[in-house]
Amino acid sequence: MADVIRIKTKTPTPYLLAELRPETHDTKTFRFALPADATLDLLPGDHVTVHATVNGKAVKRPYTPSSLVGTLGFFELTVKRYETGAVSKYLHDRRVGETVEISGPYAGGHWVDGMATRVGFVAGGTGITPMISIIRWILAKRLPVELWLVFANKTEADIILREEFEQAAREHLNFHCYHVLGQPPTGWSMGVGRVTPDMLRTHLPPPGSDTVVFLCGPPPMVDALEGNLKALGYPEQAIILP
């Protein structure tokens, strides 16, 4: 078997956009081609940087690959289009067969096997993207780790990878998923409004020496919930901001 090539570069490099897959009304997964024997050199939760020129101005933004770490031949980014986001709009305007300049990977708030046996994830909107590869990794490797996800969105239509998470909850007894909607439909049975301390207390693992919580979302949400988590007894070193 040929040796695996592990790619990491600080220089923006063109990657071929091989496939586009819609996830929601405003979110797509972009698959970029790698050589058949190559993978990105990263841990679950690490990020790459997308570089672009928009209206004559150089712009860049970090994105965490959502594909399973160690996948050969391609990597994927799951990106929501924001009208005020120059890079997200640039990506959403790309077509299969075009190239995109990307550098990295770079270390971030990542997962390392053995760091905990109980892991909470609190995500708001596209704050889920750094957590996708971590959840996929732990479940695919069948690690002895219990996972709890609290995922906040505006509406049902905004829930990224809803079917995958709900299937994972059915198939893996160690994965628990709780959705929170700002504008829930009639008959909605999960969380309503904003994520509250009571929701965190009920739907995350309790604080402890073997517990960590990944937290990502809009800055006001992260600031508020980081304070709530600390008030509930989670030490600062156990709260990871990817």
Side-chain angles (χ1 to χ4, degrees), residues 110-117 119 209-212 214 237 240:
H110 52 230
W111 166 263
V112 177
D113 289 354
M115 68 188 295
T117 60
V119 183
S209 60
D210 215 19
T211 296
V212 297
F214 289 86
Q237 64 269 23
I240 302 172

Side-chain angles (χ1 to χ4, degrees), residues 14-56:
Y15 290 92
L16 177 71
L17 179 56
E19 183 181 317
L20 277 172
R21 188 169 67 250
E23 301 292 357
T24 71
H25 61 98
D26 60 4
T27 301
K28 295 178 182 177
T29 291
F30 301 79
R31 176 174 290 191
F32 294 98
L34 295 173
D37 58 351
T39 187
L40 293 183
D41 185 10
L42 79 169
L43 291 171
D46 286 343
H47 65 272
V48 298
T49 297
V50 173
H51 302 258
T53 300
V54 178
N55 297 326

Side-chain angles (χ1 to χ4, degrees), residues 16-32 63-68 74-81 88 91-92 94-96 128-129 132 136 160-162 164:
L16 177 71
L17 179 56
E19 183 181 317
L20 277 172
R21 188 169 67 250
E23 301 292 357
T24 71
H25 61 98
D26 60 4
T27 301
K28 295 178 182 177
T29 291
F30 301 79
R31 176 174 290 191
F32 294 98
Y63 292 101
T64 303
S66 52
S67 44
L68 184 65
F74 68 87
F75 66 94
E76 294 181 338
L77 304 179
T78 300
V79 179
K80 179 175 180 176
R81 180 187 178 104
S88 73
L91 278 174
H92 275 252
R94 297 309 96 200
R95 297 292 178 262
V96 170
I128 190 64
T129 53
I132 295 171
R136 286 175 169 171
I160 299 170
L161 299 183
R162 179 180 183 178
E164 177 176 334

Side-chain angles (χ1 to χ4, degrees), residues 2-19:
D3 290 338
V4 172
I5 299 170
R6 303 183 67 83
I7 295 175
K8 177 178 287 189
T9 175
K10 294 182 179 179
T11 303
T13 302
Y15 290 92
L16 177 71
L17 179 56
E19 183 181 317

Side-chain angles (χ1 to χ4, degrees), residues 86-148:
V87 179
S88 73
K89 288 171 64 177
Y90 168 84
L91 278 174
H92 275 252
D93 289 342
R94 297 309 96 200
R95 297 292 178 262
V96 170
E98 297 182 351
T99 60
V100 175
E101 299 267 323
I102 300 174
S103 64
Y106 303 96
H110 52 230
W111 166 263
V112 177
D113 289 354
M115 68 188 295
T117 60
R118 299 181 300 183
V119 183
F121 301 92
V122 184
T126 53
I128 190 64
T129 53
M131 305 175 189
I132 295 171
S133 67
I134 300 174
I135 293 170
R136 286 175 169 171
W137 173 265
I138 292 172
L139 295 180
K141 299 300 179 182
R142 298 194 175 275
L143 300 178
V145 179
E146 196 90 3
L147 308 176
W148 287 261

